Amino acid sequence: MPTLHTYDYAVIRVVPRVEREEFINVGVIVSCPGAKHLEAAIELDVERLRAFAPTLDIEGLQPWLDAIVAICRGDTNAGPIAQLPARARFHFLTAKRSSVVQMSNTHVGRTAEPTGVVEHLMRKMVRVPA
Protein backbone atom coordinates (compact mmCIF):
# COMPACT_ATOMS: atom_id res chain seq x y z
CA MET A 1 0.00 0.00 0.00
CA PRO A 2 1.47 3.40 -0.97
CA THR A 3 2.21 5.99 1.68
CA LEU A 4 -0.42 8.71 1.76
CA HIS A 5 0.81 12.23 2.41
CA THR A 6 -1.40 14.96 3.84
CA TYR A 7 -1.19 18.30 2.05
CA ASP A 8 -2.69 21.76 2.38
CA TYR A 9 -3.60 23.90 -0.58
CA ALA A 10 -5.10 27.26 -1.44
CA VAL A 11 -6.34 28.67 -4.70
CA ILE A 12 -4.66 31.88 -5.92
CA ARG A 13 -7.21 34.43 -7.02
CA VAL A 14 -7.24 37.74 -8.84
CA VAL A 15 -9.78 40.09 -7.28
CA PRO A 16 -9.86 43.18 -9.54
CA ARG A 17 -12.27 45.16 -7.33
CA VAL A 18 -11.81 44.04 -3.75
CA GLU A 19 -15.02 45.70 -2.61
CA ARG A 20 -17.07 43.53 -5.00
CA GLU A 21 -15.41 40.28 -3.85
CA GLU A 22 -15.53 38.85 -7.39
CA PHE A 23 -12.54 36.84 -8.50
CA ILE A 24 -10.97 34.56 -11.08
CA ASN A 25 -8.83 31.60 -10.02
CA VAL A 26 -5.35 31.88 -11.54
CA GLY A 27 -3.26 29.34 -9.66
CA VAL A 28 -2.72 27.09 -6.68
CA ILE A 29 -0.22 26.72 -3.87
CA VAL A 30 0.38 23.31 -2.26
CA SER A 31 2.28 22.45 0.91
CA CYS A 32 3.08 18.84 1.77
CA PRO A 33 5.39 18.91 4.80
CA GLY A 34 5.74 15.10 4.99
CA ALA A 35 7.20 15.05 1.49
CA LYS A 36 9.06 18.34 1.99
CA HIS A 37 7.15 19.77 -0.96
CA LEU A 38 6.02 23.36 -1.47
CA GLU A 39 4.93 24.43 -4.94
CA ALA A 40 2.83 27.06 -6.66
CA ALA A 41 1.63 27.29 -10.24
CA ILE A 42 0.04 30.21 -12.05
CA GLU A 43 -1.80 30.27 -15.37
CA LEU A 44 -3.32 33.53 -16.51
CA ASP A 45 -6.13 33.33 -19.02
CA VAL A 46 -5.55 36.87 -20.28
CA GLU A 47 -8.61 36.90 -22.53
CA ARG A 48 -10.82 35.83 -19.65
CA LEU A 49 -9.26 38.39 -17.29
CA ARG A 50 -9.70 41.19 -19.82
CA ALA A 51 -13.38 40.25 -20.30
CA PHE A 52 -13.90 40.11 -16.53
CA ALA A 53 -11.94 43.26 -15.67
CA PRO A 54 -11.16 45.39 -18.76
CA THR A 55 -9.24 48.04 -16.76
CA LEU A 56 -7.07 45.58 -14.82
CA ASP A 57 -3.33 46.15 -15.29
CA ILE A 58 -2.40 42.56 -16.11
CA GLU A 59 1.24 43.42 -16.83
CA GLY A 60 1.46 45.09 -13.41
CA LEU A 61 -0.10 42.03 -11.80
CA GLN A 62 2.41 39.54 -13.22
CA PRO A 63 5.35 40.39 -10.88
CA TRP A 64 3.14 39.76 -7.84
CA LEU A 65 2.13 36.36 -9.18
CA ASP A 66 5.71 35.52 -10.14
CA ALA A 67 6.78 36.38 -6.57
CA ILE A 68 4.47 33.70 -5.16
CA VAL A 69 6.14 31.02 -7.30
CA ALA A 70 9.64 32.34 -6.45
CA ILE A 71 8.90 32.39 -2.71
CA CYS A 72 7.64 28.80 -2.86
CA ARG A 73 10.83 27.72 -4.63
CA GLY A 74 12.94 29.55 -2.04
CA ASP A 75 14.69 31.64 -4.70
CA THR A 76 17.47 33.72 -3.18
CA ASN A 77 16.37 36.80 -5.13
CA ALA A 78 12.78 36.55 -3.77
CA GLY A 79 13.65 38.34 -0.53
CA PRO A 80 13.80 37.28 3.11
CA ILE A 81 10.41 35.52 3.12
CA ALA A 82 11.77 33.03 0.57
CA GLN A 83 14.50 32.05 3.04
CA LEU A 84 12.05 30.96 5.74
CA PRO A 85 11.22 27.27 6.25
CA ALA A 86 8.73 25.95 3.68
CA ARG A 87 5.82 25.75 6.10
CA ALA A 88 6.33 29.37 7.21
CA ARG A 89 6.41 30.48 3.56
CA PHE A 90 3.11 28.68 2.93
CA HIS A 91 1.49 30.36 5.93
CA PHE A 92 2.83 33.78 4.90
CA LEU A 93 1.51 33.40 1.36
CA THR A 94 -1.92 32.13 2.42
CA ALA A 95 -2.51 34.78 5.09
CA LYS A 96 -5.70 36.80 4.60
CA ARG A 97 -5.20 40.13 2.88
CA SER A 98 -7.28 42.70 1.09
CA SER A 99 -5.51 43.09 -2.23
CA VAL A 100 -5.90 42.23 -5.90
CA VAL A 101 -4.03 38.94 -5.38
CA GLN A 102 -5.65 36.81 -2.68
CA MET A 103 -5.72 33.20 -1.54
CA SER A 104 -8.77 31.08 -0.87
CA ASN A 105 -9.20 29.43 2.49
CA THR A 106 -6.78 26.55 2.91
CA HIS A 107 -8.02 23.03 2.33
CA VAL A 108 -6.60 19.61 3.17
CA GLY A 109 -6.11 16.54 1.01
CA ARG A 110 -4.22 13.26 0.90
CA THR A 111 -2.16 11.82 -1.91
CA ALA A 112 0.36 9.13 -2.69
CA GLU A 113 2.06 11.46 -5.21
CA PRO A 114 2.66 14.98 -3.80
CA THR A 115 4.36 16.22 -6.97
CA GLY A 116 1.18 15.57 -8.98
CA VAL A 117 -1.18 17.54 -6.75
CA VAL A 118 -0.50 20.93 -8.32
CA GLU A 119 -1.38 19.70 -11.80
CA HIS A 120 -4.51 17.98 -10.51
CA LEU A 121 -5.66 21.14 -8.74
CA MET A 122 -4.86 23.34 -11.74
CA ARG A 123 -7.13 21.17 -13.89
CA LYS A 124 -9.87 21.11 -11.27
CA MET A 125 -9.76 24.64 -9.86
CA VAL A 126 -8.13 26.98 -12.40
CA ARG A 127 -8.48 25.86 -15.99
CA VAL A 128 -11.79 26.36 -17.74
CA PRO A 129 -13.25 22.96 -18.70
CA ALA A 130 -13.13 22.21 -22.42
Side-chain angles (χ1 to χ4, degrees), residues 38-104:
L38 177 63
E39 184 181 1
I42 309 282
E43 285 183 16
L44 285 182
D45 184 336
V46 176
E47 244 179 66
R48 189 170 175 226
L49 271 172
R50 289 201 197 287
F52 181 66
T55 61
L56 180 67
D57 178 9
I58 295 172
E59 292 74 29
L61 181 68
Q62 192 64 55
W64 295 99
L65 297 171
D66 292 343
I68 293 169
V69 175
I71 289 169
C72 283
R73 282 193 310 247
D75 290 356
T76 55
N77 62 346
I81 299 300
Q83 305 316 303
L84 293 173
R87 197 67 180 154
R89 285 182 270 152
F90 177 77
H91 287 298
F92 173 83
L93 290 168
T94 59
K96 291 287 181 199
R97 50 185 54 91
S98 180
S99 64
V100 174
V101 177
Q102 296 183 17
M103 303 291 171
S104 71

Side-chain angles (χ1 to χ4, degrees), residues 101-116:
V101 177
Q102 296 183 17
M103 303 291 171
S104 71
N105 291 329
T106 57
H107 305 280
V108 178
R110 292 178 55 162
T111 184
E113 186 53 50
T115 58

